[in-house]
Amino acid sequence: MATESLLNKLLRMKILGASIFGAAAIFIGGIMFWGAFNTAMEATNTLGFCINCHEMKDNVYQEYVKTIHYTNRSGVRAACSDCHVPKDWVHKFVRKIQASGEVFHWLMGTVNTPEKFDAKRFQLAKRVWETMKSTDSRECRNCHAFDQMNPAMQKQRAKKQHENAQAEGGTCIDCHKGIAHKPVHHLLEQEEEQKAAAEAAKKAAAAPAPAAASAPAPAPAQAPAAGGAALPPVTGKAVDWAKVAEAKTVLFYPGQTAIEWVLTGTDHGGTRAFKKGDRCFECHSNETADMGAKMVSGSKAEATPIPGKRAAIPLSIKAAYDSDNLYMRFEFPAGGHNDVPFAKGGNMDPENEIKLAMMIDGGKVDMAARSGCWTSCHSDARDMPTAPAAGALAAAKGIDTKAGYVTKYVPESRTQFDTSKRDNWDKVKPQAELDALLAAGTFLDLTRYKSSGASEQGYVLAERVLKPGNDVAYSGKKEGDKWVVTMIRRLNGRLSP
């Protein structure tokens, strides 16, 4: 009787309006539904599901399988969902709802051919970059985190950039756009440059016209007289080089890496850091030999590799000074000549086995403090990718074209400096403005030694100007299998112009 009474009570019990057995059935059914739903949702996170349509399999998947995220030394693979789907359930569910729009476009055939996909690639990529930026690269951080990195095991440039990112609050996607797919982030750079140019033009149009100058432009600086007639020849005391401290570095063959190349993200991975103020050596000082090897092999930034070309040259430098002069000594291994494919007879300068040049920045050329003489090396110079045709060069105004090619120049000498079109060589400022830049010290001081015995002195502004040295004297000789070159530079002499 007691058992029957208990059974009746249980049958009469209600949970949210349902009997206990009904509630149990709902609970079990809910678990089964949730399990089926979650299993189905997780199935959409698999690599197989992501590439079961040819739009993905024939386009982005083919790019992905060539990257380190697909195959690497550790055997850990990051599938599509690891980068594009959040791990936590709430954000994952939101992402699945958003994906319904992608399914709609799949049904409509919006990106069903490689041509259609490429036409929309930049638009699609920007959407992903914006999402990753807004989430602090949440999916990247599932595997990568600053506090789990060991900087001692990173390359110098990676270590430097990760330190910068931590200090400035940077996130992964700031630097690693296009890491698993065909890169299109150069289009973002162009878009930003166009916006900046439009804003600058808008401000310039709104600004009042400048008042007429009340004083004439400064007179151009006078170049030293040829042959050193203006001042007596440079003389100095003998230096005991055995007692002078030695610094060692490695010079590498740079290939066709002009300053425009340095400033373009798809060419140079350090563009963003450089534009923010980092100096080249901060990332590359320990890897110059490896960089040179990439250039001479033709695997990086060299369209016409020179067979047998030395990738890098170790250089020993010593320096001393007194009240009158700066003394420098350079020592480096001699090397055989390698025919240059693009030079007549294979030799660019038959009269000189070696030439050694040095530039000094007085602090007025914008990028020189970060890139040194690189700021004067351009894509439109001789034998570079955008060098002008002979006919165009002959018609140029404002620069000396007797050399038959575009020489070095600094960007401040041009009315435009476009790093995408790279057609700046003939956009020379008026002579009065160049004279003012010279008078203000906006140039790179240049000296050069030729193994035929010449010491040259000059500067780089709108072009390279070199004349017989007046404030500098070089001497050099080959000692066994090495070259030794010494320099005496007057400390109180005039600037090169």
Side-chain angles (χ1 to χ4, degrees):
M1 188 69 177
T3 302
E4 182 181 352
S5 176
L6 178 59
L7 181 59
N8 288 334
K9 289 181 180 180
L10 289 173
L11 290 173
R12 289 194 299 269
M13 287 181 64
K14 302 287 185 181
I15 299 178
L16 298 177
S19 68
I20 190 169
F21 292 108
I26 292 171
F27 178 72
I28 294 170
I31 292 176
M32 293 177 66
F33 172 80
W34 175 255
F37 175 80
N38 197 56
T39 298
M41 188 167 67
E42 288 301 321
T44 65
N45 286 342
T46 62
L47 182 60
F49 179 86
C50 292
I51 62 171
N52 68 2
C53 63
H54 77 86
E55 285 85 353
M56 293 295 103
K57 187 174 182 179
D58 297 341
N59 290 315
V60 292
Y61 176 70
Q62 299 305 319
E63 301 159 5
Y64 156 68
V65 295
K66 299 174 184 177
T67 70
I68 196 170
H69 282 104
Y70 184 81
T71 304
N72 51 68
R73 64 183 180 276
S74 62
V76 177
R77 176 174 296 170
C80 307
S81 59
D82 292 316
C83 297
H84 295 288
V85 181
K87 294 292 184 184
D88 66 285
W89 197 89
V90 173
H91 290 105
K92 182 192 299 183
F93 188 69
V94 172
R95 177 70 185 92
K96 294 300 180 181
I97 294 174
Q98 293 170 343
S100 61
E102 297 165 18
V103 174
F104 171 77
H105 286 289
W106 170 72
L107 291 170
M108 296 297 294
T110 307
V111 291
N112 63 342
T113 68
E115 293 76 18
K116 289 182 180 180
F117 192 94
D118 275 338
K120 292 187 173 293
R121 183 185 288 271
F122 180 50
Q123 175 186 344
L124 297 171
K126 280 203 301 181
R127 192 175 301 160
V128 174
W129 297 336
E130 290 166 0
T131 299
M132 288 186 167
K133 179 72 173 178
S134 68
T135 63
D136 192 20
S137 302
R138 178 181 53 213
E139 280 63 68
C140 301
R141 294 179 188 278
N142 288 330
C143 296
H144 308 281
F146 286 134
D147 58 359
Q148 296 173 18
M149 293 179 180
N150 184 351
M153 298 179 68
Q154 296 177 343
K155 288 185 177 181
Q156 180 183 359
R157 51 181 158 168
K159 176 177 179 293
K160 171 66 177 175
Q161 297 315 315
H162 288 145
E163 288 174 349
N164 287 349
Q166 283 185 277
E168 299 166 5
T171 188
C172 310
I173 200 60
D174 290 333
C175 297
H176 295 286
K177 296 178 178 71
I179 195 170
H181 300 297
K182 181 179 177 180
V184 290
H185 49 283
H186 66 287
L187 298 175
L188 185 64
E189 293 176 1
Q190 293 175 12
E191 186 179 81
E192 291 172 348
E193 288 177 359
Q194 290 168 358
K195 287 181 180 178
E199 285 295 321
K202 186 177 179 181
K203 289 180 180 179
S214 58
Q222 297 298 313
L231 291 174
V234 175
T235 59
K237 300 175 182 178
V239 178
D240 185 355
W241 291 112
K243 296 181 179 179
V244 178
E246 177 186 43
K248 293 185 176 182
T249 188
V250 177
L251 305 181
F252 69 96
Y253 178 66
Q256 295 181 316
T257 54
I259 190 65
E260 293 88 355
W261 184 96
V262 173
L263 292 168
T264 303
T266 50
D267 293 331
H268 173 224
T271 294
R272 182 174 176 273
F274 181 82
K275 288 182 176 179
K276 292 179 67 176
D278 281 8
R279 294 170 287 180
C280 298
F281 81 90
E282 291 180 288
C283 290
H284 298 299
S285 61
N286 291 334
E287 57 183 20
T288 51
D290 292 337
M291 293 165 66
K294 290 182 179 180
M295 306 299 178
V296 298
S297 69
S299 66
K300 188 82 169 180
E302 182 57 71
T304 53
I306 301 172
K309 179 75 175 180
R310 285 192 287 180
I313 300 174
L315 176 66
S316 165
I317 307 171
K318 293 185 177 183
Y321 68 94
D322 57 27
S323 59
D324 299 315
N325 300 311
L326 167 68
Y327 307 85
M328 297 191 73
R329 181 183 186 274
F330 307 91
E331 181 180 316
F332 51 92
H337 175 260
N338 305 103
D339 284 348
V340 181
F342 46 82
K344 185 178 181 180
N347 200 326
M348 296 183 70
D349 189 349
E351 297 179 2
N352 292 283
E353 181 177 337
I354 66 150
K355 288 185 287 191
L356 185 148
M358 179 172 67
M359 292 188 198
I360 299 176
D361 166 43
K364 300 294 183 66
V365 177
D366 178 45
M367 293 183 287
R370 288 171 282 155
S371 64
C373 65
W374 226 300
T375 193
S376 68
C377 179
H378 298 281
S379 182
D380 42 34
R382 176 173 54 172
D383 302 313
M384 294 291 275
T386 59
L393 188 66
K397 296 180 180 180
I399 59 174
D400 183 1
T401 59
K402 290 192 295 292
Y405 55 87
V406 177
T407 67
K408 295 181 182 297
Y409 61 86
V410 296
E412 283 84 348
S413 69
R414 268 39 183 186
T415 57
Q416 76 160 39
F417 188 62
D418 189 305
T419 59
S420 56
K421 294 181 180 178
R422 304 184 183 186
D423 59 347
N424 312 297
W425 68 275
D426 59 344
K427 311 301 189 298
V428 185
K429 288 182 177 178
Q431 188 60 47
E433 293 185 37
L434 296 178
D435 291 342
L437 290 171
L438 275 176
T442 308
F443 59 84
L444 294 177
D445 181 274
L446 171 65
T447 60
R448 185 170 71 174
Y449 167 72
K450 293 182 176 181
S451 56
S452 58
S455 296
E456 298 176 315
Q457 180 177 352
Y459 64 95
V460 176
L461 179 56
E463 57 194 323
R464 182 182 64 190
V465 176
L466 277 171
K467 297 183 178 183
N470 187 65
D471 293 317
V472 64
Y474 281 99
S475 62
K477 61 180 178 179
K478 188 185 289 188
E479 298 180 357
D481 61 351
K482 63 185 179 184
W483 273 92
V484 177
V485 178
T486 57
M487 182 200 78
I488 304 175
R489 177 72 184 266
R490 199 192 309 274
L491 289 175
N492 61 352
R494 71 189 77 186
L495 292 173
S496 290

